[in-house]
Amino acid sequence: MRALILVMDSVGIGMARDAELYGDHGADTVGHIAEACARGTADNDARKGPLAIPNLVGLGLGQACRLATGRVPPELGGPVHPRAMFGCASELSKGKDTSSGHWEIAGVPVPFDWGYFPRTRPCFPEDLVERLCEETGVIGIIGNCHASGTEIIHELGERHMQTGEPICYTSADSVFQIAAHEQTFGLERLYHTCAVARRLVDPLNIGRVIARPFIGSAAAQFKRTAHRRDFSVPPPERTILDLAADDGRDVVSIGKIDDIFAHRGTGRNKRGDGNDALFDCTLEAINDLKDGGLLFANFIDFDTLYGHRRDVAGYAAALEQFDRRLPELLLRLKANDLLIITADHGCDPTWSGTDHTREQVPILARANDRTWSIGKRGGFSDIAATIARHLGLAPLAHGTAF
């Protein structure tokens, strides 16, 4: 008896009930991608035609979309009675941040408001910048604004390599991001700079400081690497990871999960460069996961490579590739394992701007032959509550098992 949580980062299925408060009324990541594919506007050299994700549809994704929005996206109708439990959930936590979404999935909604930086230029407080430079020895910073990570590296990367000034920027999330060249600035130096920044932004209640290393010799060749690290504050309460670790269970985290939870209760960590590599890590971990164990994986490409970049065709191709690999995972499940596939927020690639979108998320739960609708859940914490019951762990403070 084991449990697995797979987070398809940003794969939302329709606006949350409070989406208008976040400027996201009408956002629908999966629905709008499927519609674009049906129209042919998501065709490119890599993929063509309607969105083809039969394995996710077979687990109930189309029916989860129906629960969330009242309609099934094109080509996602599938069986009326899928091969799994299916439903959707709205987030209780405030914001649409990675940390909030993952913590709530793990059983800890975030009741407070994160700190955010204003949409001004410069956007960071002057004393914060001065202290960061003083304590790290950099001569200054560049950027100091809201920006897309790939765009700002393209814009300022060459200057950064010449001057040694790190590129600092933020987004609509509660983040302080620092981009630096792996060779000219140095990876360990970047991590040290981020560790200092983490301490300095604590009084501002900033959720994450993110190291964004990149390589390349000129703007046209710059590429972010898999050596990203998130310096997060720890969750304010015990999560399902804490319960499992404290009970001596085998815990494996895949991708950036260990960073999101500030390395608390995350057990053995496996990392990979992109969704395919992360899927490989997940398969390897399933083979070794002991009875009573918990695996928690994040698949980042949907969000980072395609959602934030508003790349509809790329997002569709990533969904299709993830779907093609699902049978490999399903074949490794034991009879009494529980698999839950979900998301942490939306990032509708048809939406304006480059930020996350406040959306409902799918819950697709495979356990033995259970095949019913779990309905519309009032919070992501129902996922953790269900896993706690399945694994025989103590109940969490939040959530209702389905």
Side-chain angles (χ1 to χ4, degrees):
M1 180 178 293
R2 307 175 300 177
L4 303 88
I5 309 172
L6 272 56
V7 178
M8 302 185 296
D9 202 308
S10 85
V11 182
I13 57 171
M15 64 176 180
R17 56 181 176 268
D18 56 358
E20 191 165 2
L21 297 176
Y22 299 86
D24 294 328
H25 182 82
D28 183 358
T29 298
V30 170
H32 288 158
I33 291 170
E35 290 168 1
C37 291
R39 292 193 303 267
T41 55
D43 289 354
N44 61 17
D45 293 338
R47 69 154 315 277
K48 295 184 186 302
L51 185 63
I53 47 175
N55 296 302
L56 285 167
V57 169
L59 293 175
L61 181 60
Q63 298 306 318
C65 292
R66 185 197 299 275
L67 285 170
T69 66
R71 67 185 189 282
V72 177
E75 305 300 324
L76 303 192
V80 176
H81 302 290
R83 302 191 308 272
M85 294 175 282
F86 63 91
C88 61
S90 295
E91 188 173 4
L92 293 177
S93 303
K94 298 179 180 181
K96 45 187 176 178
D97 185 85
T98 293
S99 296
S100 300
H102 281 79
W103 290 0
E104 189 167 324
I105 288 169
V108 180
V110 179
F112 55 80
D113 287 312
W114 292 107
Y116 299 94
F117 294 109
R119 287 188 174 274
T120 57
R121 191 160 190 163
C123 67
F124 301 128
E126 186 175 347
D127 62 332
L128 170 63
V129 175
E130 290 176 355
R131 290 187 62 190
L132 181 66
C133 295
E134 179 183 340
E135 295 192 29
T136 61
V138 299
I139 61 173
I141 68 168
I142 51 178
N144 204 341
C145 61
H146 282 245
S148 158
T150 52
E151 291 176 3
I152 201 166
I153 289 171
H154 185 272
E155 175 188 349
L156 299 177
E158 291 181 357
R159 175 179 166 185
H160 156 72
M161 293 174 68
Q162 295 166 358
T163 66
E165 298 167 294
I167 305 168
C168 299
Y169 61 102
T170 188
S171 70
D173 290 345
S174 180
V175 293
F176 186 98
Q177 304 193 71
I178 306 178
H181 197 275
E182 283 199 7
Q183 281 77 47
T184 61
F185 192 85
L187 192 59
E188 292 305 318
R189 186 183 179 199
L190 172 59
Y191 292 159
H192 170 70
T193 303
C194 288
V196 172
R198 169 69 274 166
R199 174 169 46 81
L200 295 178
V201 299
D202 278 348
L204 303 176
N205 200 29
I206 301 300
R208 288 178 295 157
V209 174
I210 306 178
R212 294 286 196 176
F214 65 96
I215 56 175
S217 57
Q221 290 85 41
F222 288 150
K223 177 184 177 182
R224 296 199 297 198
T225 75
H227 296 136
R228 161 186 171 157
R229 278 189 60 187
D230 292 39
F231 295 75
S232 301
V233 294
E237 299 177 44
R238 284 159 55 80
T239 70
I240 189 68
L241 290 164
D242 294 315
L243 293 185
D246 291 349
D247 199 53
R249 305 300 181 92
D250 188 22
V251 178
V252 182
S253 55
I254 307 294
K256 65 178 184 178
I257 294 296
D258 63 336
D259 282 350
I260 293 171
F261 289 88
H263 307 272
R264 201 181 77 194
T266 51
R268 294 176 284 123
N269 178 252
K270 292 178 176 288
R271 288 182 177 262
D273 187 1
N275 278 2
D276 262 347
L278 292 167
F279 214 106
D280 290 339
C281 291
T282 301
L283 297 179
E284 293 170 6
I286 292 174
N287 291 337
D288 299 331
L289 189 65
K290 297 176 183 177
D291 187 50
L294 172 62
L295 181 148
F296 200 159
N298 172 279
F299 293 86
I300 194 172
D301 285 359
F302 305 112
D303 186 57
T304 301
L305 296 185
Y306 309 114
H308 285 300
R309 300 184 190 183
R310 298 305 188 236
D311 181 352
V312 179
Y315 207 130
L319 284 168
E320 291 170 337
Q321 176 61 11
F322 182 88
D323 189 84
R324 281 191 289 270
R325 300 210 61 182
L326 265 182
E328 300 177 60
L329 186 149
L330 296 175
L331 287 172
R332 285 169 167 78
L333 296 181
K334 298 179 180 179
N336 55 358
D337 287 344
L338 169 62
L339 166 68
I340 295 180
I341 300 176
T342 188
D344 53 341
H345 48 68
C347 199
D348 188 341
T350 72
W351 212 241
S352 59
T354 60
D355 298 324
H356 294 155
T357 43
R358 179 78 168 182
E359 295 186 45
Q360 300 171 76
V361 302
I363 301 178
L364 312 178
R366 177 78 175 268
N368 295 319
D369 296 321
R370 298 168 187 166
T371 58
W372 61 76
S373 170
I374 63 172
K376 301 184 73 168
R377 314 302 296 189
F380 298 177
S381 293
D382 289 2
I383 294 171
T386 301
I387 288 172
R389 176 178 291 181
H390 177 77
L391 294 180
L393 295 168
L396 289 144
H398 308 277
T400 302
F402 49 77

